Amino acid sequence: MKICFNEMPVSDFPKFKGGEKSLSAKMFSDGKVKIMHGLLTPGASIGLHSHDTSCEAVFIISGSGKMIYDGIEEKLEAGDCHYCENGHSHSLVNDTTEDLVFFAVIPELVIN
């Protein structure tokens, strides 16, 4: 199935997950997976949150910043991928002067 992010409207999410400033994103969800093409301007962040029923992979398309994963800071730049396992927490921060553009995939896990 083709998902046309270029044809989707951009939505703004102020203080997303308790973060700073605003997340601009195009999102797809079918109830089984969420896929997001996001942008954080300088100084913006996605707040600290945990993945109790899901995991998340975040691929940095352009720019750089840091991920705080279970309290440990990881520097990320274009081409890097961060993986947040089920049961862990993270926060994405643009601590630079350039936009941070990323792609995230969040599959919902089935707990038996």
Side-chain angles (χ1 to χ4, degrees):
M1 172 174 75
K2 180 178 178 179
I3 301 168
C4 300
F5 281 96
N6 288 338
E7 297 174 8
M8 288 182 189
V10 175
S11 297
D12 285 317
F13 302 91
K15 299 189 178 287
F16 190 68
K17 304 264 185 199
E20 296 296 320
K21 295 188 175 184
S22 185
L23 163 68
S24 297
K26 298 177 181 185
M27 294 191 185
F28 166 85
S29 179
D30 67 357
K32 297 177 200 164
V33 68
K34 296 174 190 164
I35 304 172
M36 176 184 0
H37 182 263
L39 181 142
L40 292 173
T41 58
S45 66
I46 295 173
L48 181 67
H49 60 284
S50 56
H51 284 268
D52 298 323
T53 62
S54 65
C55 56
E56 182 174 12
V58 180
F59 180 80
I60 307 302
I61 297 170
S62 65
S64 61
K66 66 182 176 183
M67 188 71 75
I68 301 169
Y69 178 64
D70 288 343
I72 298 170
E73 188 176 302
E74 301 173 344
K75 293 300 282 177
L76 297 173
E77 58 187 36
D80 289 341
C81 186
H82 164 81
Y83 176 66
C84 183
E85 231 181 317
N86 174 257
H88 294 264
S89 61
H90 66 167
S91 172
L92 181 59
V93 179
N94 182 350
D95 59 353
T96 73
T97 59
E98 303 292 325
D99 288 346
L100 173 60
V101 180
F102 64 94
F103 191 76
V105 178
I106 308 115
E108 288 299 319
L109 300 176
V110 177
I111 309 283
N112 293 326

